């Protein structure tokens, strides 16, 4: 149906504006970290906030204050979990995954690719999308905690400090990471 009543349209307009303002205020109070997408937990909260906003806008069964309370609960949970993960290694391990090295100095790390369910073609596509036309120009490809890929160009330096926390990376003075599948 295209139109039920003017009352429904006015409700969506009024509740939409107020819910949006409420969400913006809560996000502003909670800080920039709330909507970052650094890991799967962050993505879930962002999607849940969007779903809650849609429900508040379109469902007459959910009052505006109930929706704003739902926003506050989600943002509060995000704030609590991220605060705890900064202070506790246990919480951090439960909530966040670690970045994973998939390609390093000319070698596809096939065991890592299999474990992360990534194909060689997907790695090549990520490298191309990053503007590289030759794998020899790439130092590393990392699957990040949020599921995105980062391609690090070969810089000619033995220092690889950005890879220090990446699973599969060895210290720069050693050879390339061992791959049990090779």
């Amino acid at each position: 149906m295209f139109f039920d009543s003017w009352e429904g349209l006015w409700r969506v307009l009024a509740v939409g504006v107020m819910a949006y303002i409420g969400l913006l205020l809560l996000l502003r109070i909670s800080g920039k970290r709330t909507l970052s997408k650094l890991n799967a937990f962050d993505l879930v909260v962002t999607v849940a906030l969007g779903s809650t906003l849609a429900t508040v806008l379109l469902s007459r069964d959910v009052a505006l204050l109930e929706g704003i309370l739902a926003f506050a609960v989600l943002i509060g949970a995000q704030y609590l979990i991220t605060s705890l993960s900064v202070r506790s290694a246990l919480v951090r391990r439960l909530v966040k995954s670690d970045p994973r090295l998939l390609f390093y100095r000319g070698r596809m790390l096939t065991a890592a690719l299999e474990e992360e369910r990534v194909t060689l073609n997907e790695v090549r596509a990520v490298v191309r999308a990053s503007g590289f036309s030759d794998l020899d120009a790439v130092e590393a490809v990392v699957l990040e905690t949020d599921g995105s890929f980062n391609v690090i160009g070969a810089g000619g330096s033995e220092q690889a400090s950005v890879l220090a926390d990446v699973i599969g990376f060895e210290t720069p003075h050693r050879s390339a990471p061992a791959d049990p599948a090779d």
Side-chain angles (χ1 to χ4, degrees):
M1 189 169 267
F2 294 107
F3 180 79
D4 284 333
S5 71
W6 285 105
E7 176 189 342
L9 295 177
W10 288 114
R11 182 198 171 281
V12 169
L13 179 64
V15 170
V17 169
M18 290 184 284
Y20 186 73
I21 290 170
L23 179 58
L24 286 180
L25 289 173
L26 288 169
L27 290 172
R28 183 74 174 137
I29 291 167
S30 66
K32 298 173 190 168
R33 175 64 177 82
T34 303
L35 284 182
S36 68
K37 293 171 188 67
L38 296 175
N39 57 57
F41 180 73
D42 295 331
L43 176 65
V44 168
V45 170
T46 302
V47 170
L49 286 170
S51 177
T52 302
L53 180 60
T55 301
V56 170
L57 283 173
L58 299 175
S59 176
R60 294 173 192 218
D61 296 333
V62 179
L64 174 63
L65 288 180
E66 292 172 337
I68 291 176
L69 179 60
F71 293 151
V73 167
L74 289 168
I75 291 169
Q78 171 73 350
Y79 188 88
L80 178 66
I81 294 297
T82 55
S83 295
L84 289 174
S85 71
V86 167
R87 293 170 180 79
S88 166
L90 175 63
V91 173
R92 190 169 38 253
R93 280 192 306 272
L94 290 173
V95 175
K96 296 181 180 183
S97 61
D98 292 316
R100 184 74 181 263
L101 198 60
L102 302 177
F103 174 87
Y104 186 67
R105 293 188 176 169
R107 295 181 55 213
M108 291 286 181
L109 306 179
T110 54
L113 290 169
E114 289 173 8
E115 190 172 318
E116 298 295 341
R117 298 180 320 275
V118 177
T119 68
L120 295 170
N121 288 340
E122 289 169 327
V123 173
R124 288 185 192 109
V126 167
V127 169
R128 287 190 303 271
S130 296
F132 293 94
S133 60
D134 187 353
L135 286 173
D136 290 336
V138 174
E139 176 81 5
V141 176
V142 178
L143 178 61
E144 298 292 351
T145 61
D146 65 351
S148 65
F149 294 88
N150 269 325
V151 179
I152 301 166
S157 170
E158 288 298 314
Q159 299 299 321
S161 61
V162 296
L163 298 175
D165 65 336
V166 176
I167 294 175
F169 176 71
E170 293 185 12
T171 55
H173 67 278
R174 295 185 186 169
S175 61
D179 186 354
D182 284 347

